[in-house]
Amino acid sequence: VGDRIYNLIDSVLNSTDGTVSIEQQALKDSSEKFRQDIARLNDQIDTFRQQLLERFGELEQAVARVNSLLAALRAQDDARNN
């Protein structure tokens, strides 16, 4: 009986091929994959953020040009009406 208990405990706790060791390695592998996925997603988010900032800057320039054009048209209209 003692031998069976020892063998059972050894099969669970063995540091090279025991159940606990195998599960620990699986968790480490999963953790590393998640870290890589997170790093990849962070890179994609940074790229997308940069693209949005560039587009926003372009939109601000377009709005400024439209406002300038509108001001010029108003000035012409005011000059014509006075």
Side-chain angles (χ1 to χ4, degrees):
V1 173
D3 196 36
R4 286 185 195 167
I5 292 173
Y6 173 81
N7 288 335
L8 177 65
I9 290 173
D10 186 55
S11 71
V12 171
L13 299 179
N14 187 298
S15 64
T16 56
D17 64 353
T19 306
V20 172
S21 178
I22 291 169
E23 288 299 319
Q24 283 178 327
Q25 187 59 47
L27 289 172
K28 287 178 185 176
D29 293 345
S30 293
S31 178
E32 181 59 30
K33 183 185 178 314
F34 289 143
R35 282 190 184 100
Q36 290 172 355
D37 289 346
I38 289 169
R40 182 180 45 80
L41 288 171
N42 281 336
D43 289 343
Q44 289 175 346
I45 289 168
D46 289 342
T47 299
F48 185 61
R49 181 180 181 273
Q50 187 60 38
Q51 291 171 347
L52 289 177
L53 287 173
E54 289 171 6
R55 288 180 185 167
F56 183 76
E58 292 168 0
L59 287 173
E60 281 186 322
Q61 291 174 358
V63 168
R65 287 191 301 268
V66 168
N67 284 337
S68 177
L69 180 59
L70 183 60
L73 290 173
R74 282 186 182 146
Q76 287 179 357
D77 187 49
D78 288 345
R80 213 175 315 146
N81 291 331
N82 290 330

